[in-house]
């Protein structure tokens, strides 16, 4: 007899409870079940029958018992609890139904089919063979797994199970196998629903008992007895994953064919082209495409992440069920991120035959809670009516210190989880280093305003939730010299190449493990440049040197510091991790509108600087400068790095030495901004629609003084320019009066646009982050002798009571609002897990 090999993977099953009324169960005094065949018992005759001929010999009775046992056959699957299997298929006229068959084929501990139905589809001369052959062709064309008859039965013949949606019922009912389950049916089904082919449960349908097999599906052993993993049909993830073999990502290969060429599909397990999904934000790319890598907040749809394996070790052997559920959840969230994604919304899209659907819906609750807690879904600006997480994940109360992006992110997450949160903010306003100014007629960020890489960026998610459009920044940036000349793009391109080549040599140098000594980045850059010029015999022209200085000022802008303080070994430590890709955009409405929305409904106490945190007892005592005190289970500190370095908050006991060392191994970078409003847009004709233009410094000592000018109204209505001050220019500007700074900036602009008249500004503002008592910095960098590990050490909690967030605690995405926001989400998840 040909047979299908058991699938060695996942297990899920329901122990087959004794069912049946009289006539179906082989109990005492009941009629034995019949397969429709009569059994003749031979009785040995003698010439002289003994008295009492009506009584059979004991040996004859034993022979009859042996024959009776042939009417029943147990499932051969080791450990299967179904003592009396029943064939769910009923495909063959000779189907054993609940009688005898030469072999039972096991799909789960409540689902079997008989050998007669196996033959009906498997044998080429049988009526069902053509049906199986057609299915097998489709499966083989689309999928990668074996198109076995068991797979066919699970995919095409098992009946669907559906749960009653009445709140006071929730019982599972089996549909007749002719009924195709749809998402709309799953969302509306009620016990005894009146439509043809669905079993009617009687007048009081919900009071009818649930099939006993359902109760055992949730038992831990059931999953281990499942022969084939569940493969979903019509999953919301399908459009995202058209480039994958469906059965590698938890979907059925028997579904409708994808638009991807199967030849291409088989060539290299696919392409790295993002699918175009109507109505989906183009920045939402939650899944890696095959052969794609290095993209932040992206998952492999065919593989579990490490934190997922840690949380769900039972799926490590065969992750198919988990992947099917996780992919469905992620796709559903990204299709509609404006509403809370619930298990009920997800469950209706689980289209799979058999009792395994019951298990999938049960597991959905766990997977959904995990992904919510991690901030992968149900995050951003959502306002919730009831807690998103079960009670075991909720702290009683948490104090958050600081109402910047990280503090507000953590507070919003924790409150949505169901935790009582109080936010203490030293300033009169929220936002921290996000501070937008509308006085010049357009929104200009005194702090952050640009989003670097929008794909999967939570800032892009929040903009989508608020229907805010970001302005994509173009790549063009003409470099103007003092005197008004536009630098030849070929020179700019050549010097950009040399600049990046210098940084590549620095990268190679730090790979040398024998070089234990760190050095300042500026010193190393000059050393590499000098060696290159000596070895090549080249000499940069005066203009080329100035262009190189412009690129170095951009590097100081990125680091937030002069290069003589930055570590040559670790200046770009975060580049070793996947970064946000895609468009760089300008938030024309500013970050503040997002943070204001994030803060809605939170208990925020402004003008409340914290001066002490005592975590020596069972609870944490937080004391503000005005003497107010709060007792809490956990406290989250999100103050800027500088305040920790200057001991603005007293910790009792003191923070661990390891953390203090990390705090001081990072630098507090400073950049300043100037914004100018003019009576008209005098720059339009020269920059020709570009979003910004560069200023070539006339000498190295002028590097960083207004190196780039941004057009703050790309639509061309308002006349506002914003520029930055970086590197050694920062302390020089800090010592000037504001009018002097404006005069210097105007002198530069009049040099860059010397061929025309440049009007005086109508209004302006200049930032003073270095003098802001509650920040004293812009963003962090790794000082010479430090390493990126310091960010991870800063992120470590102390005794499970004191937690830390902020851009300086995010090793992957430091120096950004995105990094600050994600650090808050991370700490909320950490506190919920504890």
């Amino acid at each position: 007899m040909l047979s299908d090999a058991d699938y060695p993977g996942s297990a899920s099953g329901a122990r087959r409870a004794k069912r049946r009324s009289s006539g179906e169960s082989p109990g005492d005094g009941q009629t034995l079940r019949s397969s429709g065949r009569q059994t003749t018992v031979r009785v040995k005759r003698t010439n002289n029958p003994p008295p009492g001929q009506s009584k059979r010999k004991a040996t004859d009775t034993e022979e009859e018992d042996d024959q009776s046992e042939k009417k029943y056959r147990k499932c051969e699957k080791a450990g299967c609890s179904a003592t009396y299997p029943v064939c769910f298929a009923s495909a063959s006229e000779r189907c054993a139904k609940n009688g005898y068959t030469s072999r039972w084929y096991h799909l789960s501990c409540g689902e079997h089919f008989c050998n007669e139905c196996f033959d009906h589809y498997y044998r080429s001369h049988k009526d069902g063979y053509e049906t199986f052959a057609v299915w097998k062709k489709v499966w083989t064309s689309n999928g990668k797994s074996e198109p076995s008859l068991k797979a066919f039965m699970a995919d095409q013949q098992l009946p669907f199970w559906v749960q009653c949606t009445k709140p006071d019922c929730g019982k599972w009912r089996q549909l007749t196998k002719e009924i195709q389950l749809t998402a709309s049916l799953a969302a509306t089904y009620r016990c005894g629903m009146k439509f043809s082919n669905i079993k009617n449960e009687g007048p009081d349908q919900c009071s009818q008992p649930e099939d006993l097999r359902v109760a055992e599906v949730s038992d831990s052993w059931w999953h281990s007895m499942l022969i084939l993993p569940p493969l979903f049909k019509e999953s919301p993830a399908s459009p995202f994953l058209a480039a994958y073999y469906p059965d590698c990502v938890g979907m059925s290969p028997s579904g409708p064919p994808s638009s991807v060429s199967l030849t291409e599909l088989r060539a290299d397990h696919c392409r790295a082209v993002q699918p175009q999904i109507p109505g989906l934000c183009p920045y939402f790319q939650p899944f890696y495409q095959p052969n794609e890598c290095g993209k932040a907040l992206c998952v492999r749809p065919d593989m579990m992440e490490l934190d997922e394996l840690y949380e769900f070790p039972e799926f490590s052997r065969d992750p198919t069920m988990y992947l099917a559920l996780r992919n469905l959840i992620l796709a559903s969230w990204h299709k509609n991120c404006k509403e809370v994604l619930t298990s009920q919304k997800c469950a209706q899209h689980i289209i799979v035959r058999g009792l395994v659907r019951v298990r999938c819906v049960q597991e959905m609750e766990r997977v959904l809670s995990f992904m919510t807690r991690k901030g992968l879904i149900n995050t951003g600006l959502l306002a919730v009516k009831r807690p998103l997480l079960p009670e075991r994940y909720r702290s009683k109360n948490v104090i958050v210190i600081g109402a910047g992006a990280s503090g507000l992110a953590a507070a919003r997450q924790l409150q949505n989880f169901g935790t009582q949160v109080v936010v203490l903010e030293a300033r009169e306003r929220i936002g921290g280093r996000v501070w937008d100014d509308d006085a010049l007629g357009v929104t200009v960020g005194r702090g952050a305003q640009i989003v670097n890489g929008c794909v999967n960026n939570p800032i892009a998610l929040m903009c989508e939730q608020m229907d805010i459009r970001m302005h994509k920044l173009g790549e063009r940036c003409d470099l103007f010299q003092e005197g008004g000349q536009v630098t030849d793009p070929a020179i700019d391109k050549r010097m950009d190449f040399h600049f990046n080549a210098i940084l590549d040599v620095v990268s190679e140098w730090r790979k040398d493990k024998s070089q234990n000594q760190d050095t300042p980045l500026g010193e190393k850059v000059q050393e590499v440049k000098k060696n290159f010029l000596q070895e090549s015999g080249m000499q940069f022209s005066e203009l080329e040197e100035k262009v190189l200085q412009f690129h170095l000022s951009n590097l100081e802008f990125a680091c937030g510091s002069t290069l003589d303080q930055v570590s040559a070994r670790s200046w770009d430590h975060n580049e070793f991790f996947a970064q946000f890709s895609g468009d760089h955009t300008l938030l024309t409405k500013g970050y503040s509108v997002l943070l204001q929305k994030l803060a809605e409904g939170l208990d925020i106490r402004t003008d409340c600087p914290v001066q002490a945190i005592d975590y020596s007892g069972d609870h944490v005592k937080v004391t503000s400068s005005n003497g107010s005190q709060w007792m809490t289970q956990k406290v989250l500190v999100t103050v800027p790095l500088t305040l920790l370095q200057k001991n603005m908050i007293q910790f009792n006991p003191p923070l661990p030495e390891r953390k203090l060392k990390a705090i001081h191994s990072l630098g507090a970078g400073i950049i300043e901004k100037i914004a100018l409003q003019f009576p008209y847009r005098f720059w339009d004709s020269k920059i020709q629609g570009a979003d910004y233009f560069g200023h070539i410094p006339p000498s190295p000592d002028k590097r960083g003084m207004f190196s780039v000018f941004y057009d703050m109204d790309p639509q061309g209505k308002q006349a506002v320019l914003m520029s930055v001050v970086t590197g050694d220019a920062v302390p020089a500007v800090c010592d000037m009066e504001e009018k002097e700074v404006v005069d210097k900036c105007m002198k530069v602009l009049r040099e860059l646009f010397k061929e025309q008249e440049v009007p005086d500004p109508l209004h302006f503002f200049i930032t003073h982050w270095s003098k802001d008592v509650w920040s004293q910095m812009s963003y962090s960098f790794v000082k010479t002798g430090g390493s990126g590990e310091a960010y991870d050490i800063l992120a470590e909690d102390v005794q499970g009571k004191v937690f830390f967030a902020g851009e300086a605690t995010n090793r992957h995405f430091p120096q950004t609002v995105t990094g600050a926001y994600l650090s808050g989400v991370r700490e909320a998840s950490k506190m919920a897990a504890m």
Side-chain angles (χ1 to χ4, degrees):
M1 168 69 66
L2 291 170
S3 65
D4 295 349
D6 285 354
Y7 187 86
S10 61
S12 108
R15 209 185 308 251
R16 185 73 174 125
K18 270 196 180 179
R19 56 212 179 324
R20 312 210 172 102
S21 57
S22 176
E24 290 190 328
S25 187
D28 292 339
Q30 294 179 340
T31 308
L32 294 174
R33 294 176 298 170
S34 170
S35 63
R37 296 183 294 275
Q38 289 188 338
T39 303
T40 303
V41 180
R42 291 192 171 199
V43 180
K44 189 177 182 180
R45 296 181 181 272
T46 59
N47 291 330
N48 300 304
Q53 200 169 5
S54 60
K55 293 183 180 180
R56 294 174 180 166
K57 294 181 181 178
T59 55
D60 293 337
T61 305
E62 290 171 5
E63 186 175 342
E64 183 186 52
D65 290 343
D66 290 341
Q67 293 292 343
S68 298
E69 285 181 11
K70 288 186 179 180
K71 289 191 176 185
Y72 314 102
R73 189 182 188 92
K74 290 185 178 180
C75 172
E76 295 176 5
K77 173 71 174 175
C80 178
S81 58
T83 307
Y84 303 107
V86 176
C87 180
F88 64 79
S90 298
S92 169
E93 291 181 359
R94 299 177 59 243
C95 174
K97 301 190 186 304
N98 59 356
Y100 174 82
T101 183
S102 58
R103 176 177 177 180
W104 286 108
Y105 293 86
H106 174 106
L107 293 183
S108 79
C109 285
E111 296 161 323
H112 301 78
F113 61 97
C114 67
N115 193 62
E116 287 71 18
C117 288
F118 178 97
D119 283 352
H120 176 76
Y121 289 111
Y122 196 81
R123 304 300 176 189
S124 58
H125 63 281
K126 297 287 187 177
D127 293 343
Y129 178 78
E130 185 62 27
T131 303
F132 174 53
V134 170
W135 171 89
K136 187 175 182 179
K137 183 177 180 181
V138 173
W139 188 280
T140 305
S141 299
N142 294 336
K144 209 174 183 184
S145 57
E146 180 69 25
S148 66
L149 195 86
K150 283 187 177 180
F152 167 75
M153 288 298 210
D155 189 69
Q156 297 291 310
Q157 299 301 313
L158 273 173
F160 284 108
W161 289 78
V162 64
Q163 191 173 24
C164 178
T165 56
K166 287 181 69 172
D168 56 347
C169 179
K171 291 176 181 174
W172 285 91
R173 306 300 186 190
Q174 178 182 314
L175 306 182
T176 57
K177 68 176 184 177
E178 293 80 12
I179 292 297
Q180 295 292 320
L181 182 64
T182 63
S184 59
L185 173 57
T188 58
Y189 178 78
R190 299 289 181 94
C191 290
M193 233 173 132
K194 297 286 184 185
F195 63 138
S196 59
N197 298 326
I198 290 191
K199 294 179 179 178
N200 193 320
E201 303 288 350
D204 186 13
Q205 298 90 346
C206 288
S207 65
Q208 299 299 310
E210 186 175 60
D211 191 304
L212 293 175
R213 291 175 291 174
V214 172
E216 295 181 332
V217 171
S218 57
D219 287 350
S220 57
W221 56 265
W222 195 90
H223 191 219
S224 64
M225 296 299 293
L226 189 66
I227 292 299
L228 295 165
L231 298 174
F232 294 177
K233 297 188 177 186
E234 301 173 24
S235 171
S238 183
F240 292 85
L241 306 178
Y244 284 89
Y245 290 100
D247 42 349
C248 291
V249 291
M251 301 187 301
S252 170
S254 68
S258 77
S259 58
V260 180
S261 160
L262 293 177
T263 305
E264 294 177 20
L265 185 72
R266 292 294 169 82
D268 60 356
H269 198 205
C270 280
R271 313 164 301 156
V273 177
Q274 283 297 326
Q276 300 300 311
I277 302 173
L280 187 76
C281 174
Y283 297 138
F284 291 178
Q285 299 174 20
F287 303 106
Y288 278 119
Q289 296 304 303
N291 300 329
E292 192 179 32
C293 62
K295 206 158 64 173
L297 301 192
C298 207
V299 300
R300 285 281 304 270
D302 57 347
M303 188 179 296
M304 292 177 72
E305 305 278 316
L306 287 176
D307 55 347
E308 293 174 319
L309 287 166
Y310 182 82
E311 187 81 10
F312 301 96
E314 66 272 27
F315 292 112
S316 60
R317 185 182 177 195
D318 181 4
T320 307
M321 181 187 291
Y322 179 84
L323 294 175
L325 293 170
R326 179 251 266 160
N327 295 345
L328 183 154
I329 291 170
L330 267 183
S332 299
W333 166 245
H334 285 91
K335 283 185 173 182
N336 182 10
C337 63
K338 297 179 182 179
E339 296 179 1
V340 174
L341 184 64
T342 64
S343 56
Q344 291 80 10
K345 290 178 183 177
C346 292
Q348 67 193 49
H349 293 289
I350 298 176
I351 308 297
V352 65
R353 292 178 179 272
L355 283 165
V356 72
R357 182 169 188 269
V358 180
R359 183 61 175 253
C360 286
V361 170
Q362 293 170 349
E363 295 290 352
M364 172 68 73
E365 296 268 3
R366 294 176 60 216
V367 179
L368 193 78
S369 288
F370 168 75
M371 296 178 72
T372 297
R373 174 164 57 84
K374 297 291 285 187
L376 300 172
I377 61 168
N378 291 334
T379 188
L381 305 174
L382 284 186
V384 304
K385 296 179 180 178
R386 57 182 63 87
L388 295 177
L389 293 184
E391 192 167 348
R392 67 181 181 275
Y393 290 116
R394 305 177 210 160
S395 299
K396 187 175 180 181
N397 53 39
V398 171
I399 297 286
V400 176
I401 301 174
S406 58
L408 293 175
R412 165 59 57 203
Q413 290 288 103
L414 287 167
Q415 183 159 297
N416 285 355
F417 293 168
T419 296
Q420 182 182 344
V421 185
V422 175
V423 183
L424 306 179
E425 168 56 50
R427 293 182 173 91
E428 295 178 352
R429 61 173 179 84
I430 67 167
R433 284 167 278 178
V434 168
W435 184 15
D436 294 330
D437 195 314
D438 300 321
L440 304 183
V442 293
T443 300
V444 182
R446 287 176 173 264
Q449 194 168 6
I450 290 174
V451 183
N452 292 306
C454 288
V455 172
N456 296 334
N457 196 309
I459 305 303
L461 171 77
M462 289 188 276
C463 286
E464 182 74 7
Q465 289 173 327
M466 288 191 71
D467 294 318
I468 292 175
R469 292 192 63 184
M470 297 181 285
H471 172 73
K472 177 183 174 181
L473 293 172
E475 294 182 3
R476 181 181 165 197
C477 180
D478 291 335
L479 303 185
F480 299 162
Q481 303 166 44
E482 294 196 3
Q485 304 93 331
V486 180
T487 304
D488 183 349
I491 294 177
D492 179 23
K493 188 175 182 180
R494 182 162 64 251
M495 295 314 297
D496 181 59
F497 171 81
H498 285 303
F499 170 69
N500 284 300
I502 289 171
L503 295 180
D504 287 342
V505 174
V506 174
S507 295
E508 288 300 314
W509 162 80
R510 64 189 178 197
K511 291 178 182 177
D512 185 354
K513 300 300 181 184
S514 65
Q515 300 286 341
N516 294 321
Q517 191 70 31
D518 196 3
T519 188
L521 179 59
E523 183 181 308
K524 195 66 188 175
V525 165
Q526 290 303 319
E527 177 190 321
V528 172
K529 174 194 167 189
K530 181 181 177 181
N531 291 340
F532 167 71
L533 293 177
Q534 286 179 349
E535 293 173 8
S536 66
M538 287 181 59
Q539 193 66 40
F540 293 151
S541 68
E542 183 181 350
L543 177 57
E544 288 175 332
E545 280 286 358
K546 291 178 180 178
V547 173
L548 181 61
Q549 292 299 317
F550 168 79
H551 288 296
L552 289 172
S553 73
N554 263 345
L555 184 58
E556 290 180 325
F557 184 12
C559 294
S561 170
T562 57
L563 300 183
D564 60 357
Q565 296 187 58
V566 179
S567 165
R569 283 197 173 280
S570 302
W571 71 274
D572 61 345
H573 63 97
N574 59 306
E575 295 294 332
F576 293 98
F577 305 100
Q579 296 297 299
F580 292 105
S581 59
D583 299 337
H584 300 311
T585 59
L586 177 72
L587 280 177
T588 52
K589 292 190 176 183
Y591 273 104
S592 291
V593 66
L594 300 179
L595 297 195
Q596 291 288 350
K597 187 70 176 177
L598 205 57
E600 279 185 11
L602 296 177
D603 183 357
I604 301 174
R605 319 281 175 88
T606 54
D607 287 316
C608 192
V610 169
Q611 69 176 20
I613 297 174
D614 186 336
Y615 61 100
S616 58
D618 293 336
H619 287 76
V620 182
K621 182 169 72 175
V622 178
T623 306
S624 71
S625 58
N626 64 10
S628 299
Q629 292 187 342
W630 293 265
M631 298 299 290
T632 183
Q633 285 183 315
K634 299 180 177 74
V635 63
L636 174 62
V637 179
T638 73
V639 300
L641 173 69
T642 322
L643 305 193
L644 294 175
Q645 291 176 333
K646 296 186 176 182
N647 298 317
M648 296 282 281
I649 298 176
Q650 299 297 315
F651 291 89
N652 181 38
L655 294 177
E657 188 62 32
R658 164 184 166 88
K659 187 177 285 287
L660 291 174
K661 184 178 178 181
I663 287 170
H664 291 285
S665 73
L666 296 180
I670 294 281
I671 66 163
E672 300 292 1
K673 288 185 172 185
I674 180 171
L676 304 159
Q677 182 185 23
F678 295 95
Y680 57 89
R681 298 171 59 84
F682 64 85
W683 57 87
D684 269 350
S685 60
K686 191 165 185 175
I687 72 169
Q688 299 178 349
D691 292 307
Y692 35 70
F693 55 90
H695 162 217
I696 299 294
S699 60
D701 62 300
K702 298 291 181 66
R703 186 174 86 198
M705 187 72 80
F706 319 119
S707 56
V708 180
F709 287 86
Y710 292 82
D711 183 348
M712 297 310 295
D713 187 12
Q715 307 307 317
K717 297 175 183 177
Q718 298 292 327
V720 179
L721 289 176
M722 182 273 289
S723 189
V724 292
V725 180
T726 63
D728 284 324
V730 172
V733 165
C734 288
D735 293 335
M736 296 179 191
E737 294 292 327
E738 286 198 345
K739 186 178 184 307
E740 187 181 354
V741 177
V742 172
D743 288 345
K744 280 191 173 293
C745 188
M746 289 306 301
K747 184 180 178 182
V748 168
L749 281 172
R750 288 184 171 121
E751 281 289 332
L752 301 185
F753 294 87
K754 201 163 190 174
E755 70 283 357
Q756 65 186 77
E757 183 180 346
V758 175
D760 288 334
L762 301 174
H763 305 284
F764 68 88
F765 73 70
I766 298 169
T767 64
H768 301 283
W769 289 108
S770 60
K771 298 177 181 178
D772 184 312
V773 66
W774 300 119
S775 62
Q776 304 180 41
M777 66 177 294
S778 297
Y779 41 77
S780 62
F781 64 92
V782 180
K783 290 197 294 191
T784 305
S787 76
E789 186 185 6
Y791 286 89
D792 287 338
I793 297 172
L794 253 73
E796 294 172 355
D797 64 272
V798 180
Q799 297 182 11
K801 291 183 281 189
V802 184
F803 298 78
F804 295 84
E807 59 86 15
T809 72
N810 194 325
R811 187 176 186 176
H812 291 218
F813 314 112
Q815 306 176 323
T816 62
V817 177
T818 298
Y821 173 87
L822 287 173
S823 73
V825 172
R826 176 198 69 215
E827 293 308 301
S829 174
K830 193 189 297 184
M831 284 188 267
M834 289 184 173

